[in-house]
Amino acid sequence: MTLPPKVTDRAFARLAEIAELTGEVRPLRVAVDGGGCSGFQYSIWLDDPAPDDLVLEKDGQRVLIDQISLPFLRNAIIDFTEELIGARFVVQNPNATSSCGCGTSFSI
């Protein structure tokens, strides 16, 4: 069964922290672009919604996914992690057959 991506509570909480720090509530866009060392790469940034975006929302925070990226992100989990190398939003993608060490590039 194909499901849309899931966003963790931790990712939504980080978006709320960013909004509090900046004084501006902006959605997080998660997109898939061609390129990277494994063929595709994730692009994650604060953006404004487009009319055809899938919008995942909780507690006033939103994550946007465009229709072109959506098939690449089916059943994926969008999370926020804090590690020694830094804090960042990450995508756990069951569709990826391999990924690079940095976790931003993958192949299907």
Side-chain angles (χ1 to χ4, degrees):
M1 178 177 195
T2 299
L3 298 172
K6 178 184 181 299
V7 181
T8 66
D9 290 342
R10 186 169 40 207
F12 280 123
R14 180 58 183 152
L15 280 174
E17 290 173 5
I18 291 169
E20 188 174 313
L21 288 170
T22 63
E24 182 180 17
V25 178
R26 293 204 56 207
L28 183 76
R29 179 171 299 282
V30 178
V32 174
D33 299 317
C37 52
S38 296
F40 295 99
Q41 62 187 0
Y42 301 113
S43 295
I44 300 173
W45 72 99
L46 298 176
D47 196 17
D48 295 319
D52 63 343
D53 284 339
L54 170 69
V55 179
L56 305 167
E57 186 170 2
K58 182 176 183 180
D59 299 330
Q61 302 303 316
R62 296 176 292 165
V63 174
L64 311 172
I65 301 169
D66 65 87
Q67 293 298 313
I68 294 171
S69 298
L70 192 55
F72 296 102
L73 296 169
R74 66 186 186 279
N75 301 319
I77 297 172
I78 299 163
D79 196 8
F80 182 79
T81 183
E82 294 183 70
E83 301 170 352
L84 290 176
I85 60 170
R88 62 192 174 123
F89 288 97
V90 296
V91 179
Q92 300 166 14
N93 191 341
N95 307 301
T97 56
S98 65
S99 63
C100 68
C102 64
T104 60
S105 180
F106 68 100
S107 62
I108 293 185

